[in-house]
Amino acid sequence: MKTLLIANWKMHYGPIKAGGWIRAFRRERLPKDVDIAVAVPHVSLAAARSSLGRASIPALCAQDVFWADDGAFTGEISASMLTEFGVQYCLVGHSERRIHLGETDDMVAKKAAALQKAGIIPVICVGETEQQQKRGEALKVLRQQTAAAISQLAANSKTPFAFAYEPVWAIGTGKACPAQKAKEAHELIRGVMAKKIGETAAQQVRILYGGSVDVHNIVDYMTTTGVNGALVGGASLDPRVFGLLCRTAIPS
Ligand code: PGA
């Protein structure tokens, strides 16, 4: 399975800066055997698309979606709207949304299902908070978030889905999760999936690691069994650093 690296800009880079990032990143030497995507804010999708021109690398990833197709949902954006920008991936359930916007497991499940229906690959983010970890609830939380997120996905869909294991305590803190610990979390996530979709199908699902990934630790993750890529926040803001990360990552 091909390694997937996603740059997550979070709430950075409006249309002007987004275009600049894409153009600078396109000048980087990029490996062919790694899938590369960039998660841009909704308002910057059009600029990112037009800076890409006909190029498909990096693929576009949205940072969120609403579950309904259209209707009276002021401020929201549907999966079919995202397809108009050629969006191939979309994050769902990022912990920052769960924490600041009150996203629940049920909302995450509905969003993932809506994306799959529209042919966009949902990248479902799961992960325990520091408190949950301290209370010894990490595995329980992961099990619950994973099972809920896939509960509304269609078994026979041609559109795959992916997970990103992002322990909240590792995001933006510089305290990256030890690769061995990430491996255990990935195994648990895959195990929960296997119960629902079968062992073979679960083996095909990419699980990325996210949380303080940088040029010093990316090789550790990419050489860890069951880690199929990375979701990179802070270290992706500089296109040259993200280019370096892409070159450093090796196929899982
Ligand atoms: P970070 O963010 O790499 O800055 O820790 C990762 C993420 O939240 O996607």
Side-chain angles (χ1 to χ4, degrees):
M1 146 186 352
K2 234 169 153 184
T3 294
L4 169 62
L5 247 64
I6 305 180
N8 178 13
W9 292 352
K10 310 192 179 195
M11 199 178 73
H12 295 286
Y13 302 161
I16 295 170
K17 286 191 175 160
W21 190 101
I22 297 278
R23 284 189 295 277
F25 185 67
R26 293 279 311 155
R27 289 195 287 274
E28 289 293 305
R29 190 169 44 80
L30 299 172
K32 289 212 166 46
D33 44 5
V34 175
D35 283 335
I36 302 167
V38 54
V40 312
H42 288 148
V43 291
S44 302
L45 281 172
R49 180 80 270 156
S50 82
S51 298
L52 272 170
R54 286 164 170 261
S56 54
I57 302 169
L60 290 185
C61 177
Q63 297 185 4
D64 184 39
V65 70
F66 192 68
W67 53 81
D69 261 351
D70 49 40
F73 305 102
T74 303
E76 293 299 328
I77 286 165
S78 70
S80 62
M81 290 173 184
L82 295 179
T83 60
E84 293 187 28
F85 297 101
V87 164
Q88 289 179 36
Y89 302 88
C90 180
L91 307 181
V92 276
H94 192 284
S95 61
E96 286 149 14
R97 298 197 58 82
R98 293 181 191 257
I99 292 165
H100 302 298
L101 283 304
E103 272 194 16
T104 63
D105 284 346
D106 183 53
M107 289 158 83
V108 173
K110 288 200 280 200
K111 290 179 176 198
L115 287 166
Q116 196 191 40
K117 234 172 93 191
I120 297 173
I121 300 171
V123 180
I124 303 158
C125 304
V126 294
E128 77 284 0
T129 63
E130 184 160 34
Q131 270 182 339
Q132 287 164 336
Q133 192 205 33
K134 280 192 178 140
R135 288 200 296 260
E137 294 170 4
L139 301 185
K140 189 180 116 199
V141 167
L142 275 185
R143 214 173 278 126
Q144 186 183 319
Q145 289 182 345
T146 305
I150 56 175
S151 64
Q152 299 185 34
L153 292 179
N156 53 0
S157 171
K158 284 196 195 70
T159 307
F161 60 94
F163 272 95
Y165 169 57
E166 295 208 308
V168 179
W169 46 268
I171 296 178
T173 57
K175 286 194 276 173
C177 176
Q180 186 56 34
K181 226 172 151 180
K183 181 175 186 233
E184 284 163 25
H186 285 222
E187 278 167 2
L188 181 130
I189 294 166
R190 218 178 283 286
V192 174
M193 278 195 284
K195 280 203 189 115
K196 162 129 173 128
I197 62 172
E199 189 66 46
T200 317
Q203 288 303 332
Q204 308 300 316
V205 177
R206 289 197 276 208
I207 309 180
L208 318 183
Y209 167 76
S212 296
V213 172
D214 61 21
V215 288
H216 306 291
N217 60 27
I218 187 147
V219 172
D220 282 352
Y221 295 112
M222 296 306 110
T223 50
T224 299
T225 314
V227 179
N228 314 115
L231 181 54
V232 186
S236 75
L237 290 178
D238 181 333
R240 281 166 310 179
V241 175
F242 190 59
L244 179 59
L245 281 170
C246 293
R247 290 192 293 279
T248 314
I250 54 158
S252 61

